[in-house]
């Protein structure tokens, strides 16, 4: 089973920054969309953002647009999520995921591969 491995989570004060990474040991995910999702306690897992294989196109949830930036290094291969101006409502477990390119970029059920998640906690 393919495993995606997230890292970089932690505790940060509101207004601070964190950078999450997602590695894919032994797999290039050529032609795949890579996405970030998050799940807060008692809530559904929600879309955060995604990036196409080429890296030329990204999509973000309105709640993070302008604060979060997704990038990928296909040579590594590694996916990144730079999170700036963090807010307490960003507190959640963050997951990276992969799906073949196509429709449903914001649909978590379209993603085939998932990491184990990394906790992000933003204090007020």
């Amino acid at each position: 089973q393919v495993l995606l491995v997230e890292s970089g989570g932690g505790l940060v004060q509101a207004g601070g920054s964190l950078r999450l990474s997602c590695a894919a040991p032994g797999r290039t995910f050529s032609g795949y969309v890579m996405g970030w999702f998050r799940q807060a306690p008692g809530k559904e897992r929600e879309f955060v953002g995604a990036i196409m294989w080429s890296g030329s196109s990204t999509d973000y949830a309105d709640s993070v647009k302008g604060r979060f930036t997704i990038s990928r290094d296909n040579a590594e291969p590694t996916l990144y999520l730079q999170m700036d101006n963090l807010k307490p409502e960003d507190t959640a477990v963050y997951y990276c995921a992969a799906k073949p390119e196509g429709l449903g970029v914001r649909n978590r059920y379209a993603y085939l591969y998932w990491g184990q998640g990394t906790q992000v906690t933003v204090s007020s």
Side-chain angles (χ1 to χ4, degrees):
Q1 184 175 353
V2 176
L3 182 65
L4 298 170
V5 182
E6 301 98 336
S7 61
L11 173 65
V12 64
Q13 288 188 330
S17 297
L18 280 175
R19 188 193 197 200
L20 305 184
S21 299
C22 173
R27 179 74 185 255
T28 63
F29 284 104
S30 175
Y32 275 64
V33 173
M34 302 297 295
W36 287 98
F37 290 77
R38 66 187 182 186
Q39 188 166 16
K43 294 188 176 182
E44 295 282 321
R45 189 170 300 188
E46 65 175 4
F47 171 78
V48 173
I51 186 167
M52 305 307 115
W53 162 250
S54 65
S56 63
S57 180
T58 54
D59 186 26
Y60 296 95
D62 288 344
S63 59
V64 306
K65 197 172 294 183
R67 300 188 297 121
F68 290 11
T69 304
I70 293 177
S71 59
R72 65 191 293 172
D73 181 345
N74 290 332
E76 288 291 329
T78 304
L79 175 71
Y80 301 99
L81 180 66
Q82 176 66 40
M83 304 185 294
D84 298 317
N85 190 22
L86 282 160
K87 303 176 181 180
E89 52 263 42
D90 295 318
T91 295
V93 177
Y94 283 71
Y95 299 89
C96 66
K99 66 174 288 294
E101 287 196 338
L103 299 177
V105 169
R106 296 189 173 206
N107 180 4
R108 68 181 190 265
Y109 299 108
Y111 286 77
L112 303 180
Y113 307 105
W114 291 85
Q116 82 288 352
T118 184
Q119 177 71 46
V120 171
T121 304
V122 184
S123 64
S124 57

